[in-house]
Amino acid sequence: MNDAPLVFSTRDPSWLSNSYLVADRLGGHAVLIDTGGPMEPIVERIVEWRVELTHVLCTHHHPDHTLHNEDYKSSYGCPVCGHAAERDHYERIGHPIDQELRDREEVRSGDLRIRALHVPGHTSGQLSFLVNDCEVYTGDTLFKGSVGGTRGQAHTNSEDLQHSIMDVLMQLPKETVIRPGHMEATSVAEEWERNPFVRYWRGLEATGSEACEAFGVGGELLIAAADYDGGEKCLVRFDDGHLDVVPGSRVKRRSDP
């Protein structure tokens, strides 16, 4: 495994979304992964580390991850990069991308080698970024103990999400550090053993069979797990047979008053 990069992050206090400054070394080169976190501390760290910011890398187009795209671009003259599947969405929210990234495409920034991994589910063009084969920035696909929902803007489906997590992210070396789009870091090893959704997809997690409604539609509650924001994230099998990962706040158990 290669040497880990320098990493500095900020977190928006309302969205709990992370921005990551990732550098190869002091006095070297850096990228910024997602821009929804407070900008001022990152600018200060760019100066302190004496690094050249070469790219803004977007995991997806949601505003809590793209808020300062234009600010970084205008300040540092670096391209904003994202997946082509969401180009129209970036433009619609006023944060257009300059460079489209394909699955497995590599971005170089000094000694940083960054591989874009297409991990749809939460959104159609969701990207994770594998840095120097030792850290992966997962956006809203995989969190510590939880996963991204599949009912947001430009989502695809839970089958895509399962494939992205189990067949892409969980296939990385177990010691790989995971830095998610919200809240705390974790590792592939930890999520493989402890994440309730991963354990369910592995056939290890006992599921419930409680009748429920989500978004006003009947279904069966399979998993209710703690989410990064203190709420719950739920896996629901709807009466028509399809599955979705949804916020616990949108699920009403039949046993609820």
Side-chain angles (χ1 to χ4, degrees), residues 57-107:
L57 304 177
C58 300
T59 61
H60 62 300
H61 72 278
H62 289 168
D64 53 335
H65 297 265
T66 59
L67 179 64
H68 296 297
N69 279 9
E70 295 302 300
D71 296 323
Y72 284 105
K73 178 181 176 179
S74 62
S75 295
Y76 298 98
C78 54
V80 176
C81 310
H83 195 276
E86 295 184 22
R87 174 175 283 280
D88 290 346
H89 295 288
Y90 284 106
E91 292 178 352
R92 190 172 298 119
I93 64 172
H95 301 306
I97 56 175
D98 305 301
Q99 180 179 336
E100 296 178 358
L101 297 177
R102 302 181 302 276
D103 183 40
R104 306 289 168 168
E105 183 172 353
E106 186 171 89
V107 174

Side-chain angles (χ1 to χ4, degrees), residues 61-215:
H61 72 278
H62 289 168
D64 53 335
H65 297 265
T66 59
L67 179 64
H68 296 297
N69 279 9
E70 295 302 300
D71 296 323
Y72 284 105
K73 178 181 176 179
S74 62
S75 295
Y76 298 98
C78 54
V80 176
C81 310
H83 195 276
E86 295 184 22
R87 174 175 283 280
D88 290 346
H89 295 288
Y90 284 106
E91 292 178 352
R92 190 172 298 119
I93 64 172
H95 301 306
I97 56 175
D98 305 301
Q99 180 179 336
E100 296 178 358
L101 297 177
R102 302 181 302 276
D103 183 40
R104 306 289 168 168
E105 183 172 353
E106 186 171 89
V107 174
R108 297 299 295 265
S109 178
D111 291 331
L112 295 176
R113 294 170 306 284
I114 305 162
R115 191 182 314 147
L117 305 176
H118 186 210
V119 286
H122 182 67
T123 64
S124 60
Q126 187 88 194
L127 290 171
S128 290
F129 296 104
L130 180 63
V131 178
N132 287 3
D133 292 323
C134 65
E135 299 196 349
V136 63
Y137 296 75
T138 56
D140 283 5
T141 297
L142 179 62
F143 308 117
K144 181 172 182 162
S146 187
V147 300
T150 55
R151 279 294 185 100
Q153 185 185 58
H155 67 90
T156 60
N157 53 55
S158 63
E159 289 79 9
D160 283 346
L161 186 73
Q162 178 180 345
H163 171 79
S164 294
I165 293 172
M166 300 303 292
D167 299 329
V168 180
L169 298 176
M170 288 294 104
Q171 298 309 307
L172 296 172
K174 292 296 187 286
E175 63 268 26
T176 304
V177 174
I178 294 172
R179 298 193 187 274
H182 295 266
M183 295 303 289
E184 304 301 332
T186 179
S187 68
V188 170
E190 181 173 351
E191 297 315 298
W192 180 257
E193 294 296 337
R194 299 183 182 180
N195 189 300
F197 294 89
V198 172
R199 291 178 59 82
Y200 170 77
W201 291 322
R202 291 178 62 197
L204 300 177
E205 187 77 10
T207 63
S209 58
E210 186 175 4
C212 69
E213 289 185 0
F215 298 92

